[in-house]
Amino acid sequence: QVQLVVSGGGVVQTGGSLRLSCTASKNIFTINAMGWFRQAPDKQRELVSMITKSGKITYADSVKGRFTISRDNAENTLYLQMSGLKPDDTAVYYCNTFPTQPWGQGTQVTVSS
C-alpha cells in the first residue's frame, strides 16, 4: 500500500476557495490513477475527481467548472483546487488510489454562508 497524507481542509464561506493536497509515499506516476472523494454526513462517499496515469481527468457533475484536479509527479502530490465553494461541498475529503486502498481519515471541508 502507498501511504497518503491529506491536508488543506478548513472552514470557508460560500464562494471561497481551498486547495487540498495529497502526498504519497511513492512516485504517483507509477499509480494507475488517483482521485479525490468526499463524504458528507449521513451520505455515502462519492467520487469527486480522478486523474489517470496518462492524464485523463474526470469530474463529478456537481463540481465541474469549480474544482480542478492536478498533480506534481516530482513531489508525489495530488491537488484539488476548489473554487466557488458551496455549502453542499461540505464533507470530509479523501484521497485514494485506483484500485482503492483502505480509506484514510481525510480532511474536513466546511462551507458556510
Side-chain angles (χ1 to χ4, degrees), residues 11-112:
V11 180
V12 65
Q13 291 185 331
T14 298
S17 300
L18 287 171
R19 189 176 77 160
L20 308 183
S21 299
C22 172
T23 300
S25 62
K26 64 179 292 185
N27 294 335
I28 60 175
F29 65 81
T30 66
I31 302 171
N32 290 335
M34 298 187 68
W36 289 98
F37 302 76
R38 68 185 181 186
Q39 186 170 20
D42 299 322
K43 296 182 179 179
Q44 292 193 350
R45 184 180 287 109
E46 65 174 338
L47 176 65
V48 176
S49 181
M50 64 96 73
I51 182 169
T52 70
K53 187 189 304 182
S54 64
K56 182 180 179 181
I57 294 172
T58 59
Y59 295 98
D61 288 341
S62 59
V63 307
K64 197 170 299 182
R66 300 186 297 117
F67 291 11
T68 302
I69 191 171
S70 62
R71 65 188 178 195
D72 186 328
N73 290 338
E75 296 184 357
N76 297 326
T77 301
L78 182 75
Y79 300 99
L80 184 68
Q81 177 66 50
M82 305 184 295
S83 300
L85 285 163
K86 306 174 181 179
D88 285 347
D89 296 319
T90 296
V92 177
Y93 284 71
Y94 302 85
C95 170
N96 213 334
T97 61
F98 291 89
T100 57
Q101 302 176 319
W103 299 98
Q105 295 184 14
T107 186
Q108 175 71 49
V109 172
T110 301
V111 185
S112 62

